Amino acid sequence: MNDLVTRGRATRASTPPRPPSVLIRSGNWGGNNLALTALFLFLPPERKRFYQNVSISQGEGGFEINLDHRKLKTPQAKLFTVPSEALAIAVATEWDSQKDTIKFYTMHLTTLCNTALDNPTQRNKVQLICAAVKFLETDTICYRVEEPPALAELQKNEWDPIVAWAENRYNVAIGSSTSITGPNIPASTKDTFISHLASYNMWALQGIEYVITQLKSLILSMGLIDRHITVEKAVLLSRLEEEYQIQRWGSVEWAHDYDLCELRARAAAGTLFVHLCSESSTVKHKLLQD
Amino acid sequence: MAALGSPLRTLRGLLRELRHASARAGRPYRDTPAYQHVMAAFRAHRVTSEKLCRAQQELHFQAATYLCLLRSVREHLALHHEYHGKGERSPREVAGLVGFRLPQQPGGKGWDP
């Protein structure tokens, strides 16, 4: 562990001094994960662009990113390799479009790949699926309001078609509720989603869970993954109440628009990540059709 | 299937965003792997008849998603530059944010020399 930390620090000699290295090493922070998390908490959100050229090379484990002559590594110092070339190109574009400073908060695809490679929460496939399906109990679009009547009607008009689509597509019962405890989701519905999600690989699942936590809705996320709705539409539906309030009270650029752009970027990154990571089957599909 | 509009429109939007992205790094965007990949993918999946082609639809959805990602990141960054991470604002700027102006005193304030 200490090795890793020192190595990490050595390569980052150019960054401004970070405070509590003592804290990181003393072990007060618990296990390895916490110490690493602490290490990255203290990293500045931006650092100087230390490379000129970004290129892609094909290695044994997949596609790798090269910054000048160095290979890109994950925060846990693993080699950064991705399974699909398109994903590698998108990640390389993220790195190449950084001007002067590297802004990590704009590099959503890189972040997702890092999460998939390092798996910082150490969860396995079953745990990931359970976490995703748990969102169904508190799914945004199943919680309805009774007043104001205009908002209640808006929710009914906008959300009902998506719920109906999901019920049809997966042949399950979902429903909606105005009570604080939420709708009663039958166990068979959960089982259906669990077995459906099990057909995705680990990488895609990380992406799916990311989209779900961003949109706060399993149903909207599945609509995105199944290409039933666009990212813009999914984000709009996820923020329906906020949009209603904006229409009534006005929009504040530095809060509402800022959130909107960030949520769109995150949802789009997650969706693209899932599609690119589960693509091999799609490509086969295309060949069969030709 | 989501309504996506014309693929050509998506392609134009994508190229526009890629141009923005590589302008930030200061290099011609036609040399970037992203440009070449996007062009190759769009060329390979051109359909000449009006057949419904599922593979093309999937690709178009992917392109639209990528376009949304690039555009939102650019807009988010612009807003971030405008409003965040610049430290404390002056009273005049704070007043301006909520649509107020600081009062003017034509002859200077009473306690000014």
Side-chain angles (χ1 to χ4, degrees):
Chain A
M1 176 60 213
N2 269 350
D3 248 348
L4 195 61
V5 174
T6 24
R7 192 150 29 98
R9 288 180 60 81
T11 50
R12 292 199 191 87
S14 63
T15 55
R18 265 171 290 116
S21 58
V22 187
L23 267 183
I24 292 169
R25 288 191 190 168
S26 65
N28 290 342
W29 291 71
N32 285 359
N33 276 332
L34 262 181
L36 267 179
T37 319
L39 181 72
F40 285 96
L41 276 182
F42 295 125
L43 271 180
E46 297 178 12
R47 52 180 295 208
K48 196 169 156 284
R49 177 170 165 151
F50 56 87
Y51 52 90
Q52 287 298 316
N53 296 310
V54 185
S55 58
I56 301 159
S57 57
Q58 196 167 7
E60 278 174 21
F63 296 87
E64 298 160 8
I65 311 284
N66 304 309
L67 307 173
D68 289 338
H69 299 296
R70 277 165 290 202
K71 291 214 178 291
L72 182 61
K73 298 265 178 74
T74 68
Q76 291 188 17
K78 285 184 198 155
L79 184 63
F80 188 98
T81 52
V82 293
S84 118
E85 188 184 6
L87 184 58
I89 290 175
V91 170
T93 307
E94 275 185 347
W95 282 87
D96 202 26
S97 60
Q98 303 300 314
K99 191 188 173 188
D100 304 335
T101 51
I102 308 172
K103 297 175 178 65
F104 292 108
Y105 53 85
T106 63
M107 302 165 75
H108 302 296
L109 287 174
T110 309
T111 312
L112 275 165
C113 294
N114 279 336
T115 311
L117 283 165
D118 283 348
N119 194 7
T121 50
Q122 302 285 327
R123 283 180 297 176
N124 58 29
K125 196 167 173 175
V126 177
Q127 287 168 313
L128 266 180
I129 293 173
C130 285
V133 173
K134 194 159 171 43
F135 256 86
L136 194 60
E137 294 163 15
T138 54
D139 203 292
T140 301
I141 69 171
C142 294
Y143 272 90
R144 305 294 169 86
V145 295
E146 280 167 332
E147 49 183 44
L151 179 58
E153 201 188 323
L154 185 69
Q155 291 185 339
K156 189 171 150 37
N157 291 341
E158 296 293 325
W159 284 346
D160 273 357
I162 296 290
V163 175
W165 165 83
E167 286 179 333
N168 252 327
R169 158 82 172 79
Y170 293 98
N171 196 16
V172 291
I174 299 171
S176 60
S177 161
T178 53
S179 106
I180 187 100
T181 51
N184 270 329
I185 306 282
S188 61
T189 305
K190 284 183 197 166
D191 291 342
T192 310
F193 278 109
I194 287 174
S195 55
H196 175 72
L197 287 174
S199 66
Y200 289 93
N201 61 35
M202 255 320 252
W203 280 61
L205 274 176
Q206 297 269 14
I208 292 175
E209 208 226 343
Y210 181 79
V211 178
I212 293 174
T213 52
Q214 295 302 322
L215 294 178
K216 315 280 187 284
S217 164
L218 175 77
I219 301 170
L220 287 178
S221 308
M222 292 323 288
L224 260 182
I225 306 295
D226 290 339
R227 304 180 178 88
H228 175 65
I229 45 176
T230 60
V231 179
E232 285 88 347
K233 177 90 176 169
V235 168
L236 173 77
L237 291 179
S238 168
R239 289 165 37 97
L240 197 62
E241 180 165 3
E242 203 171 338
E243 296 291 344
Y244 171 80
Q245 301 292 356
I246 288 172
Q247 274 193 355
R248 205 183 146 99
W249 303 103
S251 166
V252 179
E253 198 177 39
W254 40 272
H256 296 134
D257 290 1
Y258 187 84
D259 279 351
L260 176 70
C261 290
E262 189 167 26
L263 186 57
R264 271 191 187 160
R266 284 165 183 264
T271 311
L272 193 66
F273 184 80
V274 175
H275 286 157
L276 291 179
C277 288
S278 45
E279 200 166 38
S280 58
S281 61
T282 326
V283 175
K284 241 185 248 163
H285 193 64
K286 276 182 208 162
L287 288 176
L288 279 177
Q289 280 191 340
D290 280 341
Chain B
M1 192 70 205
L4 294 167
S6 124
L8 192 63
R9 202 180 144 82
T10 311
L11 175 64
R12 283 210 193 101
L14 258 182
L15 294 185
R16 181 166 177 271
E17 294 303 327
L18 288 176
R19 212 154 47 222
H20 270 290
S22 52
R24 254 180 275 158
R27 66 186 78 238
Y29 82 112
R30 279 169 197 275
D31 297 345
T32 56
Y35 172 82
Q36 284 153 13
H37 182 84
V38 165
M39 286 309 280
F42 266 89
R43 285 205 179 106
H45 293 269
R46 231 171 355 190
V47 258
T48 42
S49 58
E50 283 292 311
K51 276 186 297 190
L52 177 73
C53 174
R54 194 162 165 75
Q56 202 221 13
Q57 288 267 22
E58 282 176 11
L59 193 84
H60 188 197
F61 186 88
Q62 220 171 65
T65 309
Y66 192 43
L67 171 61
C68 178
L69 168 64
L70 290 176
R71 187 183 285 154
S72 310
V73 163
R74 180 171 57 78
E75 288 171 358
H76 175 239
L77 200 59
L79 287 175
H80 190 82
H81 275 307
E82 181 76 23
Y83 295 110
H84 291 266
K86 277 197 280 195
E88 204 168 323
R89 295 166 202 277
S90 69
R92 183 183 298 275
E93 280 177 315
V94 175
L97 274 182
V98 287
F100 292 141
R101 264 180 309 167
L102 291 188
Q104 299 272 329
Q105 199 89 20
K109 290 178 183 137
W111 54 84
D112 287 338

